[in-house]
Amino acid sequence: MQITAHRGVSSLAPENTLAAFSKAIELDCEWIEIDVQLTLDKVPVVIHDSTVNRSTNGEGLVSEMTLQNLKSLDAGLWFGDAYKGESIPTFEETLLLAKKSNLKVNIELKVYLDDDILLLCKKVNQVIRGSKIADSQLLFSSFNREALKMMQYICPQVRRGQLWREIPTDALLLLEEIKAYSVHCNYRFLNEQQATQIKQNNYQLYCYTPNQPDQVKQHWSWGVDMMITDTPQAYADRLQ
Ligand code: G3P
Ligand code: MG
């Protein structure tokens, strides 16, 4: 459990698409990371930005488009002609693929301005329950502490990871509050002292998004458990 394919294998296929998740399965990655938010008609979908502008051929806010609008967009063409016809996947489609392929999913709960966090959590939980995927195959993560706190009550059986850019000085207190399983931080800002403290307190420690193994040579020796990367293929010795 050392490598997570960030937004799927997003260096080889368009991010957050079933094609990128299938690449992760081909490469024998144990985990993928995905970004989840709600459509206008309150369906959880997998897309990173608040708008569709960068990762599709459309324009507009995800929160102002229905699932039908979103599904009519091409989410692959921007990456390359070979991916023409890829669509924004629903969270449900993603879980069904993961369940079938025994792929573990780090579900990043994306919260943008004015988003209804409680509704996002409830809808995500509904899809998880409907999919009948094993809870052990899942992990929630978020920069938004409210989302993690809500999930602690709505779906306590799924583990929670706190996302930070840089680990704050009061990290242990904050982690205890949400009964966290893991800490996910930007590899650039992690130092050995912070890593040691997190590991001594029995949390899993993950780093995003080192795309070259050289960038994190030291980090493994500090006790980092997993790298969340766009380029799992560069870490071939650490795949399953
Ligand atoms: O989970 C790590 C990473 O995905 C957090 O940042 O912006 O890529 O979603 P971002
Ligand atoms: Mg993410």
Side-chain angles (χ1 to χ4, degrees), residues 6 33 35 108:
H6 182 238
E33 185 264 2
D35 303 289
E108 184 183 343

Side-chain angles (χ1 to χ4, degrees), residues 19 29 51 54 85 146 149 166:
C29 297
T51 74
R54 183 180 56 84
E146 290 311 305
K149 280 183 191 166
E166 191 171 356

Side-chain angles (χ1 to χ4, degrees), residues 6-7 33-35 48 108 110 143 163:
H6 182 238
R7 312 180 192 175
E33 185 264 2
I34 64 171
D35 303 289
H48 180 275
E108 184 183 343
K110 275 282 176 224
F143 288 102
L163 265 166

Side-chain angles (χ1 to χ4, degrees), residues 167 190-201 203 205 219 221-224:
I167 297 176
L190 182 69
N191 62 44
E192 185 171 8
Q193 197 189 348
Q194 292 167 326
T196 304
Q197 190 192 39
I198 295 298
K199 290 309 299 169
Q200 278 177 349
N201 283 276
Y203 295 105
L205 180 56
H219 294 56
S221 68
W222 299 342
V224 173

Side-chain angles (χ1 to χ4, degrees), residues 29-120:
C29 297
E30 189 177 357
W31 285 85
I32 55 169
E33 185 264 2
I34 64 171
D35 303 289
V36 177
Q37 47 183 312
L38 291 182
T39 64
L40 178 65
D41 45 344
K42 311 306 176 196
V43 181
V45 286
V46 181
I47 180 169
H48 180 275
D49 298 357
S50 60
T51 74
V52 298
N53 303 6
R54 183 180 56 84
S55 62
T56 76
N57 60 348
E59 272 188 20
L61 285 164
V62 174
S63 60
E64 291 182 354
M65 301 174 84
T66 62
L67 180 62
Q68 197 180 8
N69 293 153
L70 289 165
K71 278 292 189 188
S72 70
L73 303 178
D74 192 301
L77 206 46
W78 68 275
F79 192 87
D81 289 348
Y83 293 99
K84 185 171 188 274
E86 277 301 317
S87 65
I88 296 171
T90 62
F91 177 50
E92 184 179 27
E93 288 165 345
T94 305
L95 283 194
L96 293 179
L97 174 66
K99 187 180 173 203
K100 195 173 71 183
S101 318
N102 206 22
L103 183 65
K104 294 181 178 151
V105 188
N106 169 349
I107 303 158
E108 184 183 343
L109 302 159
K110 275 282 176 224
V111 178
Y112 291 110
L113 201 64
D114 296 333
D115 280 355
D116 183 335
I117 305 173
L118 182 59
L119 191 62
L120 171 67

